[in-house]
Amino acid sequence: MFSRTFLDRAMLSISLATLALTYLAGKTFGFWIAAVILVAWLGLRTRQMVRQRYQASDTPQEPTPATTAPATAKKSPLHAAPVAEDTGDLIEGLLAESRYALLLRPQIVGNLTADQITRGLTLLDEEMAMIAAGDVAVQYWRAQGQPRDKSGDLAATFGFFLDRYPVTNAQFQRFVDSGAYEQSSLWDPEIWPSVEQFVDQSGESGPRFWQDGKHPAGLQKHPVVGVNWYEARAFANWVGKRLPTDAEWVKAAAWPVQSSGRRPIQRRYPWGESMERKCAHLWTHETTGTAEVDKTPGGATPDAVHQLIGNVWEWMHGNFGGADLAAGIIDFSSPMKSIRGGAFDTYFDAQAATQFQSGECVLGRKHNIGFRCAVSVADLALSDESADDQAEPTEEDLSTLPEEAAR
């Protein structure tokens, strides 16, 4: 049929013609004839307008395009971890992510098959070194005027396992991909409201120098950096481990020899008493950043713990200055945590020694600070005798895993 535009134009033409006819009629036949023609035209025009109104109301309306973007699913701040449909798949997933320290807990290991326990113990042996219990002398930073024992405070350590290498970008990528930044159980309660601020260069959750939630290409074997103390601690929780204490770290690095009735004899560097540049990734004219974690095998301890000196400083569990902070003797403007080991941009050899302690703000996300993890021997089941006749674990048995990770 005719379009609305065509009809409007036709009516306009008729109206103009009617007015012209009215004018001519008025000139030719007088006022009354012209008035009759005008009234007749007004009646036709009114009738036409009423019909158009009814036709418009009967015509189906085209849907109005949305003026705003469609609503997207809002991400819950307490987004739960993905749940495996089968408990066997859950265990295999944890092993694939090298989260064996969770599965080897005495409360959990009875639900694993003998094969799964063996694989967990193999991963433990490959990725961590067991450090025997014993005494160690530990030096802490002291403010001017505070009592200082140059040989260090004597501390006792229990047996523990320590990662053979700093945590790499590839390992931390698994942590990010799992949605760990949205799992409140992994984080300290006081920092949880601020976790959403721990983002990369693109605003995605992750280390400071990453992009779009991904680590830099080609750096998968480099230590992860740009993470603060809370992020390091959350990762440790995720894999069922923790950050080492100062005493534990020095025990592993200085390799103390116990002497009856005397203080332990310790090394200045993991390989001996003298600095050897080939054993550690420290400052040189050619050094521009981190290196792969297995770059300097000559600097490993006798039990194959690598890069305790150089490449990146490492977060410790304790405060900067040791026990002095707890006593309120040292007043920093912000909480400081202990870091040790020196980094790729450390110039002075004395700062890259096993006894040197430095500190960093607990929220610092620096380009030269990474971490490695520890776990106490007493917290693990180290034999496969607890295998439950190849029994499949139940959902109820494994439901405690997230809580276990948070401890």
Side-chain angles (χ1 to χ4, degrees), residues 36-50:
V36 170
I37 294 174
L38 181 61
V39 170
W41 173 78
L42 289 175
L44 291 173
R45 178 60 178 148
T46 302
R47 183 170 178 269
Q48 181 67 25
M49 292 176 65
V50 171

Side-chain angles (χ1 to χ4, degrees), residues 128-139:
M128 306 190 81
M130 190 174 76
I131 312 298
D135 293 339
V136 60
V138 185
Q139 292 182 6

Side-chain angles (χ1 to χ4, degrees), residues 229-357:
W229 184 83
Y230 287 108
E231 290 172 283
R233 182 172 161 83
F235 176 91
N237 289 333
W238 184 70
V239 294
K241 303 177 184 178
R242 57 178 172 77
L243 296 179
T245 66
D246 284 84
E248 289 174 338
W249 192 92
V250 176
K251 180 73 162 56
W255 199 254
V257 176
Q258 307 298 326
S259 178
S260 179
R262 298 182 178 180
R263 296 174 67 87
I265 303 171
Q266 301 179 186
R267 297 181 179 185
R268 183 175 175 82
Y269 304 101
W271 53 86
E273 288 302 304
S274 301
M275 170 56 74
E276 296 184 26
R277 289 283 173 171
K278 65 180 180 180
C279 293
H281 186 57
L282 299 169
W283 184 89
T284 67
H285 290 291
E286 294 80 20
T287 302
T288 58
T290 59
E292 294 186 349
V293 296
D294 58 356
K295 178 185 178 183
T296 52
T301 65
D303 49 1
V305 180
H306 295 250
Q307 291 192 354
L308 285 166
I309 299 298
N311 210 5
V312 290
W313 294 93
E314 297 182 10
W315 286 113
M316 300 289 108
H317 172 79
N319 295 327
F320 178 47
D324 295 331
L325 279 178
I329 297 174
I330 307 173
D331 183 19
F332 295 112
S333 58
S334 60
M336 302 278 285
K337 288 294 181 181
S338 173
I339 57 174
R340 291 185 179 270
F344 63 88
D345 53 356
T346 297
Y347 179 81
F348 297 104
D349 292 351
Q351 295 181 351
T354 58
Q355 286 289 12
F356 185 83
Q357 183 194 38

Side-chain angles (χ1 to χ4, degrees), residues 17-30 33-34 37:
T18 302
L19 290 174
L21 181 61
T22 301
Y23 175 77
L24 292 175
K27 295 283 289 185
T28 306
F29 303 107
I33 296 300
I37 294 174

Side-chain angles (χ1 to χ4, degrees), residues 84-95 116 392-393 395 398:
E85 295 183 355
D86 182 78
T87 52
D89 292 342
L90 174 59
I91 293 175
E92 292 301 323
L94 292 172
L95 287 171
Q116 290 168 336
E392 286 288 336
E395 290 282 358
L398 296 173

Side-chain angles (χ1 to χ4, degrees), residues 158-209:
F158 297 98
F160 67 99
F161 291 90
L162 186 67
D163 284 346
R164 297 188 185 278
Y165 300 97
V167 173
T168 64
N169 280 318
Q171 291 172 313
F172 205 85
Q173 183 73 69
R174 293 198 291 263
F175 172 72
V176 173
D177 292 345
S178 74
Y181 278 79
E182 299 174 351
Q183 298 177 35
S184 60
S185 62
L186 297 175
W187 300 82
D188 288 30
E190 69 271 18
I191 200 63
W192 172 242
S194 301
V195 169
E196 63 181 3
Q197 301 177 22
F198 303 157
V199 296
D200 63 16
Q201 298 297 300
S202 62
E204 297 290 334
S205 297
R208 177 183 173 187
F209 305 106

